[in-house]
Amino acid sequence: MLDIRPVGYVIGLLVSVLGVAMLLPMLVDIAEGRGHWPVFIQSALITMLSGGGIALACANGVKEGLTIQQTFLLTTGVWVALPLFGALPFVFGATESRFVDAFFEAMSGLTTTGSTVLSGLEELPKGILLWRGILQWLGGIGIIVVAMVFLPELRVGGMQIFKSESFDTMGKILPRAGQIASQISSIYLGLTMICALSYLVLGMNAFDATVHALTTVSTGGFANYDDSFGVFKGNLEIAAAFFMVLAALPFVRYVQLINGQPKPLWRDSQIQVFIATLLVIVAIMSFALFQLFPQAWGTSMREALFNATSIMTGTGYASANYMTWGPLLISMFFFIGLIGGCAGSTTCSIKIFRYQLLFASIRMQLRRIRSPNGVFVVRYDRRPVGDDVLSSVISFFMFFVLTLGLLAVALSLTGLDFITSLSGAATALSNVGPGLGDEIGPAGNFAGLNDTAKWLLSVGMLLGRLELLAVYAILTVNFWRD
């Protein structure tokens, strides 16, 4: 029989940590003097007591390792439990959100999606704005650990290809996760502080610099203004693009760099392909924008760089309403959101390495057609790739496309138009943030959607953040039978 106590213990501890994190925006609210700080006290007490109670109730079942079943449950359970409690400040706070809206906002934050149902952000208490940033920052570091510890072991979407080069975790998941989290957290925190300092030097006030650094390094995209990053122009856009790119690279390479091994960073093929792809997209967008605005070449390049980087990395900031940029660029924004960054980063979506393996597999099949008796091996980063990895990657693509179609159809059945349904499904599964169209595009938000659509999109964010198969696996009969 499946023992869920080790799973409950870890989830309880993480929920308690989330409750402690609520004390930070409480202090900001006290300093602001708007009287909203009791909201965070109330939310923190409920969260810490609930998390502590769950952890204590499950403490007698803690073991050194986790089984595969327990690991699947833990991976999904964390991303369900944390948004439930993360929603409390929105329910009790100045936004007085209904639970569906609060859960949507919290799920969007912790999955670093960046879609929002809130408007009038400039008038909200600073504590609420900081809490949105904290949710995304915690979600960013959380998904790095999940991607490095759990997904390779669970063989999700070809992630097992990174198992041998990172960490051997089976049977040692809990202590190994703590060790990895410690190393990565130092880098993640340092990158966040450097980003905040850069924003401060370039003209942001201290509060904006802090919150936007949290949501930049996490590639989350929550902003303090309804116009997103559009209130900041010039060098701030370039700085943001730079840090979004850094956050989209594998954090294990930073660990190696700090430990005196710089070569893997420069030789990593997915980093090379990611940078090359981004540069090509920016060049095309810059040229297209220059055709629309021939008197503003510098602005065209900057806007193309910022918005293309934001959508491709899944950050979701917008410095302009690109729905006015014409059908070519609108179509490009839809498709580049399905690319993503590198595995082991804070980014989301399909990710570069899967496209590399897919194209390598297609190339191998074409060579086999030309030379039926030949022996061909797919290689990734100069290493041979097993059939199990290729099968896992192809399965991921099939599940992604199927889920995208089903989610889009389900959204359309709730009354949404075609563009809103398709782009909403894509932005949820890819954890990008804005969709397309007037309602959920870069100039809109998700507040006007019906409740059913918001629940569906929340599920889509969860599926996308955990790369589909980690969630689908626990829905099968065999998972609970074996």
Side-chain angles (χ1 to χ4, degrees), residues 96-113:
E96 296 183 350
S97 301
R98 296 176 305 131
F99 184 75
V100 59
D101 292 326
F103 183 80
F104 180 96
E105 195 78 10
M107 179 64 80
S108 179
L110 283 162
T111 58
T112 69
T113 302

Side-chain angles (χ1 to χ4, degrees), residues 26-149:
M26 179 202 71
L27 296 176
V28 170
D29 264 341
I30 291 175
E32 188 182 16
R34 292 179 60 176
H36 295 289
W37 60 268
V39 166
F40 290 100
I41 282 287
Q42 183 180 2
S43 301
L45 286 175
I46 293 173
T47 303
M48 287 189 288
L49 290 175
S50 299
I54 294 171
L56 287 174
C58 299
N60 62 340
V62 175
K63 300 177 182 178
E64 183 179 354
L66 294 177
T67 67
I68 285 291
Q69 286 173 301
Q70 291 169 337
T71 306
F72 270 109
L73 279 178
L74 176 61
T75 304
T76 303
V78 166
W79 255 264
V80 173
L82 294 185
L84 285 172
F85 289 96
L88 295 181
F90 299 114
V91 174
F92 301 144
T95 61
E96 296 183 350
S97 301
R98 296 176 305 131
F99 184 75
V100 59
D101 292 326
F103 183 80
F104 180 96
E105 195 78 10
M107 179 64 80
S108 179
L110 283 162
T111 58
T112 69
T113 302
S115 303
T116 184
V117 294
L118 301 180
S119 58
L121 296 174
E122 298 88 343
E123 305 303 322
L124 291 180
K126 288 185 176 180
I128 288 291
L129 296 177
L130 178 59
W131 180 237
R132 296 167 81 236
I134 289 174
L135 285 176
Q136 292 204 319
W137 194 80
L138 293 175
I141 184 63
I143 201 59
I144 295 173
V145 174
V146 166
M148 295 177 63
V149 180

Side-chain angles (χ1 to χ4, degrees), residues 125-207:
K126 288 185 176 180
I128 288 291
L129 296 177
L130 178 59
W131 180 237
R132 296 167 81 236
I134 289 174
L135 285 176
Q136 292 204 319
W137 194 80
L138 293 175
I141 184 63
I143 201 59
I144 295 173
V145 174
V146 166
M148 295 177 63
V149 180
F150 299 113
L151 296 185
E153 200 61 59
L154 300 180
R155 310 173 76 83
V156 170
M159 288 293 291
Q160 62 265 39
I161 197 173
F162 300 107
K163 179 181 175 182
S164 61
E165 72 171 44
S166 53
F167 304 92
D168 179 18
T169 58
M170 184 45 59
K172 305 175 183 178
I173 289 232
L174 295 183
R176 229 23 182 161
Q179 179 182 345
I180 295 169
S182 176
Q183 295 174 341
I184 294 298
S185 295
S186 299
I187 297 170
Y188 190 67
L189 177 61
L191 194 58
T192 304
M193 294 176 65
I194 295 172
C195 182
L197 182 60
S198 300
Y199 285 161
L200 191 64
V201 170
L202 292 173
M204 281 192 190
N205 62 52
F207 181 75

Side-chain angles (χ1 to χ4, degrees), residues 353-434:
F353 87 95
R354 291 195 178 98
Y355 284 104
Q356 291 178 271
L357 291 174
L358 177 66
F359 292 140
S361 179
I362 292 173
R363 187 166 56 250
M364 180 187 68
Q365 294 301 327
L366 292 175
R367 294 175 67 188
R368 282 179 176 173
I369 292 173
R370 293 194 302 268
S371 304
N373 297 322
V375 178
F376 306 104
V377 178
V378 173
R379 293 184 176 274
Y380 177 82
D381 251 357
R382 297 171 292 277
R383 294 176 300 170
V385 177
D387 289 340
D388 63 321
V389 174
L390 294 178
S391 175
S392 184
V393 168
I394 293 172
S395 297
F396 178 87
F397 273 100
M398 292 180 63
F399 271 103
F400 190 92
V401 173
L402 181 61
T403 305
L404 175 61
L406 291 175
L407 183 55
V409 169
L411 289 171
S412 68
L413 291 176
T414 69
L416 303 185
D417 63 81
F418 174 75
I419 295 297
T420 302
S421 298
L422 182 59
S423 67
T427 197
L429 284 179
S430 302
N431 303 117
V432 171

